[in-house]
């Protein structure tokens, strides 16, 4: 059988960012609006700082404003809540995100629940989670949204497909299950207590791995011709240095799957592009403007 088609997340994300840039330019010309994204980081975790700096750069490249609020690791819950409340009422800010994880003395759920749902560009607020499961229009979590865009770019139709999602986290697996249900897939969510995982995976027309277990999904777990999305982003120490690998044994899986995302270059670039898109959507929706035509499903 021929090798799987590579789903090029970088190229799809680049097209999405072009759409965001065009939508942002339209908002600026017609309404004088520059959508703004604010990020809150607590502590000095270098990875979080790099991530937030990359977001600021990505905003600038598509004509969005970005704001960064760095609090010391010892900041109290009240300190963080005060910043969230200030951003909730700041008219320049359309999207508020809190870089997770937060230090253990801060209740992340409380902080996320304080974000104005209209500015919740991560889609983690309980109000937006409820709307997502209700199949209503909402701000959708970025990584799952990126997966859906890649699936739609790959498959002519998702309706009736058997979809298996490995992982049930609040940021990836669960929202993805809601989106796949809304797309008329038949969905199975697998987690660490699931039994017969390889057999469940072999049923999948669409297999999405988000466990954080390097190369967990083997070639013989994959149905011939299936579409495989690998969300996993795992740093491993290999003889040739530190490498980024997914949750799927890519080289072997490529011989069986019909289409597959690489790591890096698949889900990762899509996530940030979807965050930019959500910021523009939030800017429009909270002012009662229609969604930009560039984002039509
Ligand atoms: P979490 O650790 O929050 O969740 C992992 C999930 O996988 C849990 O539901 C867990 O089950 C399940 N799981 C773990 N090991 C197994 C196993 N051996 N068998 C079956 N299920 C298992 O991870 P995240 O969802 O945050 O992230 C998952 C991966 O995706 C990571 O590699 C992360 O780096 C990556 N990621 C990538 C993003 C991107 O932008 N590309 C964004 C977000 C995440 P249980 O619930 O029972 O514990």
């Amino acid at each position: 059988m021929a090798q799987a088609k590579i789903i090029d997340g970088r190229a799809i994300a680049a097209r999405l960012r072009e759409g965001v840039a065009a939508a942002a330019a339209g908002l600026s010309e017609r309404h004088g609006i520059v959508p703004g994204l604010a990020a809150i980081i607590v502590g000095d975790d270098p990875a979080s700082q790099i991530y937030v700096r990359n977001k600021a750069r990505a905003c600038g490249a598509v004509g969005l404003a970005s704001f960064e609020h760095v609090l010391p690791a010892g900041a109290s819950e009240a300190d963080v809540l005060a910043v969230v409340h200030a951003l909730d009422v700041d008219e320049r800010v359309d999207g508020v995100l809190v870089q997770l994880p937060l230090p253990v003395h801060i209740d992340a759920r409380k902080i996320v629940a304080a974000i104005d749902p209209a500015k919740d560009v991560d889609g983690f607020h309980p109000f937006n989670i409820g709307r997502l499961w209700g199949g209503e229009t909402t701000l959708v979590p970025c990584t799952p949204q990126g997966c859906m865009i890649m699936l739609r770019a790959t498959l002519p139709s998702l309706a009736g497909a058997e979809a298996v999602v490995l992982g049930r986290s609040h940021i990836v697996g669960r929202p993805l299950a809601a989106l796949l249900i809304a797309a008329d897939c038949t969905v199975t969510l697998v987690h660490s207590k699931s039994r017969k995982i390889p057999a469940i995976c072999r049923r999948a027309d669409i297999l999405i791995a988000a466990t954080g277990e390097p190369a967990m999904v083997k070639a013989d777990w994959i149905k011939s011709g299936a579409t495989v999305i690998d969300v996993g982003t795992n740093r491993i120490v290999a003889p040739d240095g530190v490498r980024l690998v997914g949750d799927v044994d890519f080289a072997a899986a490529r011989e069986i799957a019909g289409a597959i995302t690489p790591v890096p270059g698949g889900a990762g670039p899509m996530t940030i592009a979807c965050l930019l898109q959500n910021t523009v959507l939030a800017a429009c929706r909270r002012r009662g403007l229609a969604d930009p035509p560039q984002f039509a499903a």
Side-chain angles (χ1 to χ4, degrees):
M1 199 180 148
Q3 280 196 327
K5 169 184 179 251
I6 300 297
I7 303 170
D8 187 347
R10 282 200 185 101
I12 300 170
R15 287 201 292 278
L16 193 57
R17 287 198 308 272
E18 278 170 23
V20 172
L27 280 175
S28 169
E29 276 163 31
R30 280 192 289 284
H31 303 283
I33 297 166
V34 178
L37 174 65
I40 303 171
I41 327 176
V42 185
D44 47 15
D45 172 36
S48 290
Q49 290 188 345
I50 291 169
Y51 195 49
V52 169
R53 209 163 304 137
N54 286 344
K55 282 177 189 165
R57 204 170 299 143
C59 281
V62 294
L64 308 189
S66 69
F67 309 91
E68 203 174 299
H69 296 263
V70 184
L71 282 80
S76 68
E77 205 169 86
D79 294 334
V80 184
L81 283 173
V83 177
V84 172
H85 291 317
L87 294 172
D88 278 350
V89 296
D90 187 334
E91 269 312 300
R92 298 167 306 163
V93 172
D94 297 291
V96 177
L97 70 86
V98 179
Q99 187 64 43
L100 300 174
L102 287 168
V104 286
H105 65 279
I106 296 175
D107 183 347
R109 282 172 307 182
K110 214 184 218 179
I111 304 297
V112 169
I115 296 173
D116 177 352
K119 295 188 177 186
D120 170 37
V121 282
D122 268 337
F124 296 160
H125 190 287
F127 178 85
N128 287 326
I129 295 172
R131 288 185 68 91
L132 179 65
W133 281 96
E136 294 168 65
T137 300
T138 190
L139 290 168
V140 173
C142 302
T143 302
Q145 176 75 335
C147 293
M148 294 304 291
I149 293 172
M150 290 191 290
L151 286 174
R152 291 207 163 93
T154 306
L155 294 166
S157 163
L158 305 187
E162 181 117 21
V164 173
V165 181
L166 290 158
R168 58 174 167 182
S169 74
H170 292 278
I171 62 169
V172 188
R174 289 175 202 229
L176 195 45
L179 291 169
L180 290 162
I181 291 167
D184 296 326
C185 294
T186 303
V187 182
T188 305
L189 208 55
V190 170
H191 49 78
S192 66
K193 308 292 185 294
S194 298
R195 300 192 189 118
K196 300 182 179 161
I197 295 176
I200 295 170
C201 292
R202 275 192 287 274
R203 294 201 314 247
D205 303 307
I206 294 169
L207 183 61
I208 303 179
T211 62
E213 295 281 328
M216 172 181 161
V217 176
K218 309 298 176 208
D220 66 357
W221 296 22
I222 296 171
K223 177 170 157 179
S224 177
T227 300
V228 179
I229 306 281
D230 191 353
V231 177
T233 311
N234 312 296
R235 256 167 243 290
I236 59 155
V237 183
D240 51 341
V242 176
R243 268 198 302 135
L244 211 55
V245 299
D247 294 347
V248 178
D249 181 357
F250 178 82
R254 202 181 166 186
E255 305 298 325
I256 307 291
I260 188 168
T261 57
V263 177
M270 290 303 295
T271 297
I272 192 136
C274 289
L275 178 67
L276 302 173
Q277 175 174 259
N278 273 354
T279 304
V280 173
L281 286 172
C284 294
R285 290 177 187 170
R286 71 188 196 88
R287 292 176 174 89
L289 300 172
D291 288 354
Q294 290 85 358
F295 303 158

